[in-house]
Amino acid sequence: MFLRAVVKFLVMAKILEKKLIRKPDVFSYELDAPRISRKAQPGQFVIIRLHEKGERIPISLADINPAEGTITLIVMAVGKTTTELSGFQTGDEILDLCGPLGMPTHIEKAGKVVLVGGGFGVAPLFPIARAFKAAGNSVTVVMGARSGDLLIYEQEMQQVSDRVLITTDDGSKGTKGIVTTALSREIAENGADLVMAVGPAIMMKSVSETTRPFGIKTVVSLNPIMVDGTGMCGGCRVSVGGAVKFACIDGPEFDGHAVDWELLMLRQKAYKKEEQESFEAWKQRHERMLSKERQPLCE
Amino acid sequence: MKKKPAPINPRKTPIPEQAPGIRRSNFEEVSLGYSEEQARQEAARCLNCKEPKCVTGCPVSVPIPAFIQAIKTGDFNKALAVIKSANLLPAVCGRVCPQESQCEMLCTLGKKFEPVGIGRMERFVADWAARNSAVEAPVPEASTGRSVAIVGSGPSGLACAYDLAKLGHRVTIFEALHEPGGVLVYGIPEFRLPKKIVAREIEVLKKMGVELVTNAVVGKLIEIDELMDKYDACFIGTGAGVPKFMGIEGENLTGVYSANEFLTRVNLMRAYDKEAFDTPIRRGERVAVIGGGNVAMDAARTALRLGARETIIVYRRSEAEMPARREEVHHAKEEGIIFELLATPVRILGENGQVVSLECLRMELGEPDASGRRRSLPKKGSEFRIPVDTVIVALGTNTNPLISRSAKDLAVNDYGYILADENTGKTNKAGVYAGGDIVTGSATVISALGAGRKAARAIHAAVSGKNDRSRGQTS
């Protein structure tokens, strides 16, 4: 019966498959979510709450499979909740799964589309790349990591794009450098009609600064702190073109050239003290990704 | 010789409360409620008017003198039945209704003395029933085979669900958050409305066979049209929307909250219990709350309980114009909340992204505006600063666009509120009804309850008249 199905599938979400994506702390979770999978579009997110005492955290959709009735999340264990999640195994259930939330990526035939992924951003770019490709665009993916063995989703991205450009800091794979190095070169050599960046704020900011002089439309997916995800609390407010927007209902995607990056990064740190451990780790991750002297994330 | 009746006590029977000095550092309920004796003593003050004015002041027309007479005779079960004939949530309304501007404002006794404590007695009856396990879920009538989807589990949705379920319709409530109750759970603090009271009411609905689906955001996961494919009718009671901000400098600094966010973190996410729960909250030392409504009082008193040394309410008019319940203002003062009246914020100053002070302008009162409240006008050059580390903006809400964006054919007004008939909740879309704050803008729990009930009546009439039943049976 319809109602039983709704109750069953909306209230608890079973982990159908948990996989280690990158040692030691990045996992993918394929969740049983038939109704969400039927509605979800690239660029949207869900909010999860692990248990009765857990917080609500937003996570981007890394894959949507309506045929199988599943969605996939890729999460790195950085803070309390994400580390706790990494202790969940295949067959375990997440107490609350709410979505799909946010506006979908505006998929259009733009021509040459360049998608830039940093860190986790690579995962949500997968369904976005697939949709742009299906819409008849030429899709180039730029993805970076400290070294070759830290790249995730490389093969998956190959499947849904025309080209994948890889950058590594140590030069162990692809071009030596960071994503904006490859992006600048790509723009100079082949041009771009649309650039989209998903990842840490500092990376999205750099991408936006890289494209600004060329006037290339640049879409970014913002990741502020959220509570309800339905517009009710205003905690995720961001400033875009001088206007206050709520990332949960107006976004999460906005014009990267109009975003007030300083404000976003400031507000992301609102609970620095309270979430010290998790936030320190998150910040280090940003630093590692962009600074010259990076330390190995894992061995 | 005729026996002279005992003189009427000019004052309301006082209600036992936690002492201000103690309650300001806990989240336990402030009022402890009447004892049977106190309730009967207060009931004795009622004049049992032939043409009771109090009833006309009640948005759902509770037969007030009748329930008070039942209290007088000690028949509390009867009192409950009388109240419940009109108001499904007496334990809630007895606590949160603005009685002084509704029933109690019109009380005949109130012309000379303090009015009868109607709210306190309503609350007593509900609590008495809960204590004596006299609350039983009504047995629904035989199934009609009709089904209704309700969007939102706040006051209007709960009331609508209750009435429809009682009439034998199959009811499903869709709630966006992980816990049902809407504003009763995320908005109103524990010390004013304990969560267990809301939970009790929800249990009653469940016993009546109402199905509750949490984490279901209508407009995202399910569209109104999809609900209409599967149900005979739909009621939208999604409540207040997105928080209003002032658009002043510094409003996005860390440490500036909407009251919705602040209260949701504390109430729904239990941030006050930081040892057990994961959701963080800023525990400000000096907190300014902007606004003069109940939500502002709730936020200020919550901040105080989280450990603020000083909490300041900043309101642009005077106390007389404050929309908050008198009792909440009184309680807030008792607890040591500071009132900075006739002041309006002009900017929030920060250092390193953190709030350090709130700059305000002095105001003076002018002519009454459209709402009848005196307009407040700024005095030039009267800027002053209040040093604070946290600012909470409690200035109401604008409409949430989630449903209207996804159901484009649903008629809304210029502000985005759903256009619905006042008496039936009927919208322009066939089978779709709406009520509560999403129709009227921010109002009260009791008026939302009333709207839910009116819609239930209209929905019942509409679906019962349906001859051919081609929908509602879903695979």
Side-chain angles (χ1 to χ4, degrees):
Chain A
M1 213 179 121
F2 167 72
L3 291 167
R4 290 245 178 271
V6 167
V7 171
K8 187 177 162 202
F9 291 125
L10 294 185
V11 172
M12 299 279 270
K14 193 173 197 165
I15 299 171
L16 297 176
E17 192 179 16
K18 177 196 178 192
K19 278 195 292 198
L20 179 66
I21 291 286
R22 190 183 76 192
K23 279 183 185 174
D25 52 11
V26 180
F27 297 93
S28 80
Y29 305 86
E30 189 180 11
L31 304 178
D32 184 23
R35 292 185 59 82
I36 295 178
S37 74
R38 252 178 274 156
K39 277 292 163 117
Q41 300 293 320
Q44 290 189 297
F45 63 94
V46 291
I47 282 185
I48 62 167
R49 193 176 70 125
L50 296 181
H51 51 73
E52 280 299 337
K53 292 180 175 173
E55 59 179 340
R56 294 168 64 97
I57 59 164
I59 300 180
S60 303
L61 293 170
D63 203 2
I64 306 156
N65 190 339
E68 299 288 327
T70 66
I71 56 169
T72 302
L73 311 178
I74 292 195
V75 185
M76 177 169 165
V78 280
K80 186 173 177 188
T81 300
T82 50
T83 303
E84 232 173 329
L85 175 62
S86 70
F88 281 53
Q89 305 303 334
T90 298
D92 287 347
E93 288 183 322
I94 289 171
L95 181 61
D96 292 295
L97 173 67
C98 181
L101 297 169
M103 303 294 277
T105 304
H106 179 63
I107 303 293
E108 56 179 334
K109 185 157 185 208
K112 282 181 199 157
V113 176
V114 181
L115 305 175
V116 187
F120 281 97
V122 176
L125 274 177
F126 174 68
I128 293 171
R130 185 169 55 196
F132 272 117
K133 183 82 183 119
N137 293 286
S138 146
V139 178
T140 300
V141 173
V142 178
M143 52 195 278
R146 191 171 41 74
S147 71
D149 55 337
L150 295 178
L151 290 163
I152 68 163
Y153 255 42
E154 187 192 339
Q155 283 178 348
E156 285 85 347
M157 294 312 252
Q158 300 275 12
Q159 289 163 19
V160 294
S161 64
D162 296 283
R163 276 190 314 154
V164 174
L165 305 177
I166 286 168
T167 65
T168 52
D169 301 345
D170 60 5
S172 58
K173 190 159 188 180
T175 308
K176 188 171 168 147
I178 55 175
V179 286
T180 45
T181 321
L183 176 63
S184 301
R185 190 188 302 157
E186 176 64 16
I187 291 169
E189 287 174 5
N190 300 312
D193 298 305
L194 174 68
V195 170
M196 187 167 167
V198 185
I202 189 79
M203 183 280 271
M204 294 190 284
K205 181 188 177 194
S206 306
V207 167
S208 302
E209 290 315 317
T210 303
T211 58
R212 192 193 297 276
F214 301 96
I216 301 166
K217 185 179 169 189
T218 301
V219 177
V220 293
S221 180
L222 303 188
N223 46 359
I225 294 171
M226 280 184 194
V227 184
D228 65 293
T230 64
M232 186 266 279
C233 89
C236 67
R237 62 193 187 276
V238 292
S239 176
V240 183
V244 170
K245 299 279 180 191
F246 290 2
C248 67
I249 54 169
D250 301 321
E253 295 177 4
F254 295 102
D255 173 2
H257 297 148
V259 168
D260 181 338
W261 294 103
E262 300 312 314
L263 182 70
L264 174 73
M265 288 187 266
L266 173 75
R267 288 187 60 81
Q268 284 177 335
K269 292 176 197 156
Y271 297 101
K272 197 173 164 188
K273 214 172 84 192
E274 292 82 350
E275 292 175 338
Q276 210 156 21
E277 284 175 10
S278 62
F279 205 77
E280 283 306 313
W282 199 84
K283 229 170 47 171
Q284 280 170 22
R285 192 177 143 64
H286 282 197
E287 284 163 11
R288 267 200 294 270
M289 208 168 305
L290 294 154
S291 71
K292 294 276 194 281
E293 328 67 43
R294 285 166 216 194
Q295 296 305 308
L297 192 65
C298 59
E299 301 302 337
Chain B
M1 209 170 84
K2 218 175 160 189
K3 204 176 153 192
K4 224 176 142 192
I8 291 171
N9 188 338
R11 303 192 71 82
K12 277 185 192 176
T13 309
I15 192 162
E17 287 171 352
Q18 274 199 77
I22 293 172
R23 70 180 193 239
R24 73 199 293 277
S25 50
N26 70 50
F27 278 85
E28 306 290 313
E29 197 175 4
V30 170
S31 294
L32 305 170
Y34 279 158
S35 63
E36 289 185 19
E37 201 185 347
Q38 287 164 328
R40 292 181 72 165
Q41 189 184 324
E42 183 61 17
R45 296 180 69 232
C46 176
L47 302 172
N48 197 12
C49 305
K50 276 213 175 69
E51 282 174 36
K53 292 274 188 304
C54 52
V55 180
T56 63
C58 175
V60 298
S61 307
V62 168
I64 294 164
F67 95 75
I68 294 179
Q69 293 312 303
I71 293 177
K72 234 187 241 182
T73 61
D75 190 348
F76 305 133
N77 275 319
K78 186 182 167 193
L80 182 73
V82 172
I83 299 174
K84 282 227 166 174
S85 69
N87 178 10
L88 310 169
L89 302 176
V92 174
C93 295
R95 288 172 165 83
V96 306
C97 259
Q99 289 95 2
E100 76 272 7
S101 57
Q102 297 180 347
C103 53
E104 293 182 19
M105 183 175 79
L106 300 173
C107 172
T108 309
L109 192 66
K111 284 179 187 158
K112 229 172 133 185
F113 303 136
E114 277 190 1
V116 174
I118 300 168
R120 294 172 178 187
M121 283 190 280
E122 180 183 36
R123 170 199 161 133
F124 162 77
V125 170
D127 289 358
W128 179 89
R131 267 199 307 276
N132 295 281
S133 346
V135 193
E136 273 170 29
V139 179
E141 288 174 22
S143 169
T144 60
R146 301 286 187 264
S147 62
V148 183
I150 290 180
V151 186
S153 63
S156 70
L158 293 179
C160 193
Y162 182 96
D163 279 0
L164 288 168
K166 208 165 133 190
L167 290 163
H169 303 297
R170 188 163 64 81
V171 177
T172 306
I173 303 180
F174 295 87
E175 167 56 46
L177 291 171
H178 57 260
E179 212 174 290
V183 72
L184 305 176
V185 166
Y186 75 75
I188 303 177
E190 181 75 16
F191 58 82
R192 201 148 76 81
L193 178 65
K195 301 289 160 283
K196 64 168 194 260
I197 287 168
V198 184
R200 202 158 68 205
E201 300 301 337
I202 292 184
E203 271 316 300
V204 168
L205 287 180
K206 282 186 179 164
K207 277 188 197 156
M208 291 167 72
V210 171
E211 297 192 64
L212 248 158
V213 187
T214 50
N215 298 321
V217 182
V218 173
K220 286 289 175 190
L221 183 71
I222 316 157
E223 313 295 329
I224 296 292
D225 283 342
E226 289 173 287
L227 290 177
M228 287 309 296
D229 285 343
K230 296 193 162 98
Y231 296 85
D232 293 294
C234 169
F235 174 76
I236 304 172
T238 47
V242 302
K244 270 185 203 167
F245 287 96
M246 298 170 287
I248 62 171
E249 183 189 326
E251 211 167 10
N252 296 324
L253 290 167
T254 306
V256 183
Y257 286 98
S258 74
N260 271 7
E261 180 186 0
F262 188 74
L263 291 171
T264 299
R265 284 178 179 274
V266 179
N267 298 335
L268 178 73
M269 306 308 296
R270 319 285 200 269
Y272 62 84
D273 185 359
K274 72 171 170 184
E275 303 308 320
F277 289 85
D278 289 346
T279 301
I281 187 105
R282 172 184 292 255
R283 289 162 189 261
E285 288 272 299
R286 291 177 54 86
V287 181
V289 179
I290 300 162
N294 287 320
V295 176
M297 300 302 138
D298 286 347
R301 297 169 69 199
T302 296
L304 189 77
R305 283 160 172 76
L306 286 174
R309 276 194 293 114
E310 222 164 75
T311 306
I312 306 126
I313 295 253
V314 179
Y315 180 56
R316 64 195 173 117
R317 300 190 234 221
S318 73
E319 191 176 327
E321 285 81 22
M322 275 199 169
R325 293 174 82 214
R326 285 290 149 265
E327 189 181 322
E328 307 311 329
V329 177
H330 170 71
H331 280 158
K333 282 184 176 169
E334 277 188 340
E335 289 166 12
I337 306 276
I338 298 159
F339 285 72
E340 189 65 76
L341 302 170
L342 290 165
T344 199
V346 285
R347 63 177 170 149
I348 302 165
L349 293 105
E351 270 168 29
N352 306 317
Q354 304 287 319
V355 173
V356 294
S357 70
L358 178 68
E359 187 171 295
C360 300
L361 265 179
R362 276 278 160 236
M363 307 293 280
E364 52 194 352
L365 290 178
E367 295 301 304
D369 65 9
S371 74
R373 289 182 298 180
R374 291 178 68 188
R375 203 184 295 274
S376 60
L377 305 159
K379 280 194 219 170
K380 259 193 186 160
S382 65
E383 285 89 349
F384 66 101
R385 289 179 185 179
I386 309 170
V388 287
D389 56 18
T390 305
V391 174
I392 302 169
V393 184
L395 293 173
T397 56
N398 293 317
T399 48
N400 191 312
L402 280 188
I403 287 186
S404 51
R405 271 184 198 162
S406 75
K408 293 206 162 50
D409 53 344
L410 184 67
V412 297
N413 71 11
D414 291 347
Y415 301 100
Y417 293 106
I418 297 175
L419 293 171
D421 184 274
E422 206 185 312
N423 294 313
T424 62
K426 223 170 155 5
T427 69
N428 68 314
K429 231 168 126 67
V432 179
Y433 298 74
D437 284 6
I438 190 61
V439 171
T440 58
S442 299
T444 57
V445 169
I446 189 73
S447 60
L449 281 175
R453 296 205 82 185
K454 281 179 185 169
R457 218 171 297 145
I459 291 170
H460 175 62
V463 299
S464 301
K466 274 190 177 180
N467 291 322
D468 175 35
R469 180 166 163 69
S470 52
R471 295 173 306 171
Q473 291 300 318
T474 49
S475 55

